[in-house]
Amino acid sequence: MDMLWSGWGDPAKAAPLPDAVTGLLRDLLGVTPREGGPTTLDAVEPPAPALTGKAYDALRAAVAAPDGLRDDAESRTRHTRGKSTPDLLRIRAGEVRTAPAAVLLPADHDEVLAVLRACAEHGVAAVPFGGGTSVVGGLAPATERPFVALDLRRLDGLLAVDEVSRTATLQPGLRGPRCEELLNARGWTLGHFPQSFEWASVGGFAAARSSGQASAGYGRFDEMVLGLTVATPEGTLETGRAPRSAAGPDLRQLVLGSEGALGVITAVTVRIRPLPARRIYEGWRFASFEAGTAALRRLAQDGPRPTVLRLSDETETFVGLAQPDAIGSGGLPQNPGCAAVVGYEGTEEETAARRAAVHEVLRACGGEFTGEEPGDRWAHGRYDAPYLRDALLDAGAFAETLETAAFWSALPGLHAAVRDALTRTLTEAGTPPLVMCHISHTYENGASLYFTVVSAQGEDPVAHWEPAKRAANDAILAAGGTISHHHGVGTDHRDWYVRETGPLGIRMLQAVKAEIDPSGVLNPGVLLPVR
């Protein structure tokens, strides 16, 4: 099944906001419905494909399947941009000027190589396309040359499982659910469950340094990767012949997070874990975000570490506690504090022992146990937030997310700086926002912050968001945060990534790109400035 072209996920799961919520949005934020609905797919008309005859013939010859090259309007529209709110607002308005000239569907590594060589020969850019879930402009190359979307859905196999070493080799087009299905059938799990899990692909996990909701227990995706096969216009790169090595710099880490700018990942070898016999999720409450953050830091630094560990700030807790038919009814607690979700996975004995030890720590930190129901509710709806975003857009609200990470000592200042930047710029624009935040991933030395902002759309929703996004990005760097913890760089963050990395670091990466992609066809302008 293809994802909804003008929104997120499965169209059958989309649902409008309850009247109580739309009323609250109107009363608190001044949200009013916009006239007319999204453009229909059959009404969208991408520009005529801009491939020369020789380029078209070379690309067509690179893939064997009869439908290996598609340049019809629907295929090109479905591969236009990603799923950020500005992306969706543009495509809902029928703006597809940046549609790819064609969609290529290679069936194996050799066909990916052939496509990249044809692109280099004929000056056509190539944008790898996995699940299409980028929310930072990762599918919107900054280039005037024609480009093709390199859709990897046909590379969707489980190539090997080494049960002795506990590794699996996966193809990049595997989506999260299918990957788990194949591993679970053999008694294993990858343990990687980002919010985009239902639609994102293994290749995308690697290319964007994804982090799943169970990262406290399983680690980030880049920590799971043991080996990579990468296709470039100059040939094949194979990395990772041992779990760890002192044989020079680790080229796996160069490819991870490169977002297609340094090659197209065609196979990923990952470590796997036994399928857990028990999964338990539960809720906790803290008096303040400061108190809850201190409790999470104690677990992250001194243990025991749960599998899932998340903490919402006061605003997000208040909104998250609301049942749709209770919002604004006066039945909500006046001081809800800050809610945390804690989860445990493993054997029956392991989860019971770890849970008891975690309870002891959290109670000592002032936490109040609120039972399994909040955890179960979170687990049941853990992939639903993007559908809520679509419903908010339908109702005339603007809703977007952004994330960052920092060391523990910088976290309070970072939280305040980003919240204040968003509130100030959107209020000055006449659309005062609701800004929510949670800690989504924890480490011994720091944690990530994930912000959600909701406001009225304004006259021009995309133009309305751009100053706020720039202000938030500036605030992140000024407060000591990284421009992205797990969403990636893309065109949305590229200029701030340049500032974060520094001139010498960027020149080093550009030198690597010049060697493996001398024609500059790999996702130009998405990670690095175009030279």
Side-chain angles (χ1 to χ4, degrees):
M1 177 194 297
D2 286 322
M3 187 185 290
L4 177 64
W5 72 281
S6 60
W8 181 266
D10 182 354
K13 293 185 178 180
L17 293 176
D19 291 342
V21 178
T22 56
L24 188 66
L25 291 170
R26 180 189 63 242
D27 296 340
L28 291 183
L29 302 178
V31 172
T32 56
R34 300 185 68 84
E35 294 183 5
T39 303
T40 59
L41 181 56
D42 57 7
V44 177
E45 296 184 11
L51 293 177
T52 65
K54 288 184 178 180
Y56 180 94
D57 291 343
L59 289 166
R60 183 67 196 86
V63 288
D67 63 344
L69 185 152
R70 302 175 184 175
D71 59 359
D72 60 284
E74 179 176 339
S75 294
R76 295 171 61 215
T77 297
R78 288 186 178 277
H79 289 77
T80 300
R81 295 185 168 272
K83 298 299 181 181
S84 71
T85 296
D87 286 342
L88 294 186
L89 288 167
R90 290 185 176 102
I91 205 161
R92 282 167 166 242
E95 184 188 318
V96 289
R97 290 173 294 175
T98 56
V103 179
L104 277 297
L105 292 96
D108 56 29
H109 174 83
D110 289 341
E111 289 194 354
V112 174
L113 281 176
V115 169
L116 295 181
R117 287 167 177 157
C119 286
E121 181 180 354
H122 296 281
V124 176
V127 177
F129 191 100
T133 61
S134 172
V135 293
V136 292
L139 302 175
T143 181
E144 296 299 320
R145 69 173 81 182
F147 72 94
V148 296
L150 191 55
D151 190 320
L152 301 170
R153 70 179 65 188
R154 288 178 174 164
L155 282 75
D156 64 348
L158 170 59
L159 300 180
V161 174
D162 179 345
E163 298 196 355
V164 174
S165 305
R166 293 190 173 183
T167 69
T169 301
L170 314 167
Q171 288 188 302
L174 269 178
R175 288 181 177 171
R178 180 59 177 160
C179 176
E180 280 297 309
E181 179 184 348
L182 291 171
L183 291 174
N184 292 174
R186 297 170 178 245
W188 301 99
T189 181
L190 184 58
H192 188 67
F193 305 105
Q195 191 173 82
S196 61
F197 169 76
E198 294 177 314
W199 295 92
S201 67
V202 166
F205 295 156
R209 286 190 183 270
S210 175
S211 192
Q213 295 170 341
S215 65
Y218 290 99
R220 292 166 53 95
F221 192 78
D222 51 357
E223 296 171 325
M224 303 175 184
V225 175
L226 302 173
L228 295 163
T229 302
V230 185
T232 81
E234 293 295 293
T236 299
L237 174 67
E238 296 274 4
T239 70
R241 59 188 302 149
R244 296 291 185 272
S245 171
D250 190 345
L251 294 182
R252 289 173 294 195
Q253 297 303 320
L254 184 64
V255 175
L256 292 167
S258 62
E259 302 186 34
L262 301 179
V264 179
I265 296 167
T266 59
V268 184
T269 298
V270 293
R271 64 109 181 98
I272 53 178
R273 300 269 175 85
L275 188 63
R278 186 82 163 99
R279 288 187 169 108
I280 308 170
Y281 308 107
E282 61 190 26
W284 286 79
R285 186 181 311 283
F286 294 89
S288 66
F289 195 54
E290 180 183 10
T293 299
L296 266 61
R297 178 168 65 86
R298 180 168 168 183
L299 287 176
Q301 292 181 334
D302 301 324
R305 292 185 65 88
T307 307
V308 174
L309 190 58
R310 301 165 65 85
L311 174 73
S312 295
D313 69 5
E314 289 86 351
T315 305
E316 183 170 286
T317 297
F318 184 83
V319 172
L321 283 172
Q323 297 296 327
D325 58 356
I327 294 179
S329 67
L332 294 173
Q334 296 303 304
N335 183 25
C338 291
V341 171
V342 185
Y344 317 88
E345 299 182 11
T347 65
E348 292 282 354
E349 297 79 7
E350 178 188 15
T351 53
R354 192 147 38 102
R355 188 184 191 193
V358 168
H359 278 219
E360 183 177 344
V361 171
L362 294 182
R363 286 198 172 97
C365 291
E368 174 193 351
F369 180 61
T370 56
E372 293 185 19
E373 193 273 336
D376 290 341
R377 189 171 66 232
W378 169 82
H380 178 74
R382 64 196 297 187
Y383 308 126
D384 291 347
Y387 292 102
L388 175 60
R389 189 262 306 265
D390 288 356
L392 288 165
L393 292 179
D394 290 340
F398 184 95
E400 184 59 300
T401 62
L402 56 95
E403 44 75 39
T404 179
F407 295 112
W408 287 111
S409 58
L411 217 61
L414 180 62
H415 177 242
V418 176
R419 182 191 59 213
D420 293 349
L422 291 168
T423 300
R424 173 178 49 80
T425 52
L426 289 170
T427 299
E428 289 173 353
T431 56
L434 183 68
V435 180
M436 299 162 277
C437 180
H438 64 263
I439 293 175
S440 55
H441 306 278
T442 58
Y443 308 94
E444 181 179 355
N445 309 111
S448 70
L449 294 175
Y450 191 101
F451 293 87
T452 301
V453 56
V454 181
S455 73
Q457 290 186 6
E459 291 299 319
D460 183 338
V462 175
H464 147 273
W465 172 242
E466 288 174 349
K469 176 66 171 175
R470 289 195 300 270
N473 288 353
D474 288 341
I476 285 170
L477 294 191
T482 178
I483 197 59
S484 177
H485 171 264
H486 58 269
H487 281 171
V489 176
T491 51
D492 292 1
H493 293 155
R494 181 197 60 221
D495 294 345
W496 287 267
Y497 172 65
V498 169
R499 287 165 53 185
E500 180 177 331
T501 304
L504 181 58
I506 294 298
R507 292 204 307 272
M508 291 171 62
L509 291 173
Q510 287 175 326
V512 172
K513 185 172 176 63
E515 285 297 316
I516 61 180
D517 181 24
S519 300
V521 301
L522 288 168
N523 222 3
V526 165
L527 180 72
L528 301 169
V530 177
R531 301 181 74 173

